[in-house]
Amino acid sequence: ALVYIDAFVPAQGESVLSLAAKYPGSQLPASITEAPYTQGSGQSGVDVYIKTADFRSAFAGDVSPAKADLMAITQRPVTLAALSEKSGAPAWKSIPSWYLVGRQDEAIPPATQMFMGKRAHSHTVEINASHASLVSHPAAVTKLILAAVHTVAK
């Protein structure tokens, strides 16, 4: 089984950036900062981070300020190339999936999440959570994972 938690679920040929622009509402475009880098091979790239000052409102609105601050300063970047990369054949075409939608997600708008979950024929659960529902609502996340396990383990 596949379990998506406030996640991008691309179809073949889609990128995260194309899905991110599908519906309005994400705070990420205004909240990110870019950090160019050069690899040892001489190739260059760009890492993307959420600005520390914007992290809680854009990513972890239902997480305590102290925990969101810690998450902000320890976040790992994503490369701009990874966000632009087009997806290959999606696993959700042949594997049953479950999707947790955070209704208060300011990173991936709930409308985008619902679209992707429906398209993937996911068993969808909605909760009042930010994008950081893994942190703010671990019981709901665990319940969804166990539902997937119990369904496919039969």
Side-chain angles (χ1 to χ4, degrees):
L2 302 169
V3 179
Y4 299 101
I5 310 296
D6 303 305
F8 285 106
V9 183
Q12 187 160 352
E14 286 181 326
S15 69
V16 168
L17 289 179
S18 67
L19 283 167
K22 188 153 190 71
Y23 294 96
S26 176
Q27 287 190 31
L28 288 182
S31 301
I32 60 168
T33 187
E34 296 179 352
Y37 65 87
T38 303
Q39 297 176 336
S41 65
Q43 292 183 319
S44 62
V46 177
D47 280 340
V48 177
Y49 296 85
I50 302 171
K51 296 174 191 169
T52 303
D54 296 338
F55 190 90
R56 186 163 188 251
S57 64
F59 194 85
D62 58 346
V63 174
S64 73
K67 187 165 276 205
D69 287 347
L70 180 61
M71 291 169 69
I73 62 172
T74 58
Q75 70 179 292
R76 301 289 300 154
V78 62
T79 65
L80 191 55
L83 298 175
S84 304
E85 183 75 23
K86 293 189 189 286
S87 179
W92 52 260
K93 289 270 190 177
S94 59
I95 301 172
S97 64
W98 282 253
Y99 195 110
L100 185 125
V101 174
R103 287 191 208 113
Q104 298 167 3
D105 195 327
E106 298 289 339
I108 304 174
T112 304
Q113 293 181 48
M114 294 298 292
F115 162 77
M116 293 182 293
K118 181 178 181 179
R119 177 177 67 182
H121 305 290
S122 298
H123 304 275
T124 302
V125 173
E126 296 180 50
I127 63 171
N128 288 323
S130 71
H131 191 72
S133 60
L134 285 163
V135 175
S136 63
H137 293 82
V141 171
T142 301
K143 183 178 177 181
L144 186 67
I145 293 169
L146 291 174
V149 168
H150 292 309
T151 301
V152 300
K154 292 181 181 180

